[in-house]
Amino acid sequence: MRKKMKWLIPVVIVIILAAFLIIFICTILSKSRHISIDLSDTDSFSVVKEGNEISLTPDEKTRLIDMLEDITIVPWTYPNSTGWTYRILYTDNDNHTNDIIPLNSRIIINNKTYRILGKSSKDVTEYLDSIYNKTLVTISIDNAESITVTNKNNHKTAVFTGDKLQELTDALAYKPSHPITFYDDKESTTRYVLTVQYKDGSSDELPITQCSAILYKDQYLSVDSYALELINEEVGN
């Protein structure tokens, strides 16, 4: 029995040492795959949501870059992700355009998915939410007596009064609108013109473009889909 024990002890020691060696090697290999996001050579930097660029102040841009560079990532195999809220675009000094899509437990950089270690990118998306929400505007048309809608393509005209007027103004104000970014001249071409006649005798013109953006208080904003349906029912093709 003692001889058997003497034989087992060295084997157990070897197994333990081998286990420690494997753990040590795996740790070293794992750390060697850790990557930090480096945006130090960023030439241009922008954030897009729903195809529209979000305006960032210099301080907001600096803080966002700091938050991204604070994330440690490692290459990881995930199923293809569908849907995203924000896309961060930047151009490096070599004039290469890169993109970052922050998700909760992972991050996609130039179509490659990485696992986030130690934290999630939730802080990044929440910070972007706070910036985006500040840009939202409610299209409020108060004290209107009527709205005349003209289709610039077919020259049809309709006048909204009474219940129809209330339905249209409610639809326009149904949810806060976000600023719209135009990517070509065709998108900014006027499709409809809303001429608002107020009860005090004043009037205002609110053009709606081909890409469904309305000019309201000197900025182009998104238009609720139901409001567009109401307009199209009256003056559509």
Side-chain angles (χ1 to χ4, degrees), residues 111-129:
N111 296 320
K112 294 182 180 179
T113 305
Y114 297 85
R115 179 185 176 188
I116 299 172
L117 301 179
K119 60 174 69 176
S120 73
S121 58
K122 188 177 179 182
D123 290 343
V124 174
T125 54
E126 286 181 348
Y127 181 58
L128 289 172
D129 282 340

Side-chain angles (χ1 to χ4, degrees), residues 29-55:
L29 290 175
S30 175
K31 286 184 177 180
S32 68
R33 298 174 71 221
H34 292 184
I35 303 169
S36 293
I37 300 173
D38 183 11
L39 298 172
S40 59
D41 64 346
T42 302
D43 186 36
S44 65
F45 185 93
S46 61
V47 179
V48 172
K49 179 176 180 176
E50 298 176 0
N52 298 291
E53 185 175 342
I54 299 174
S55 178

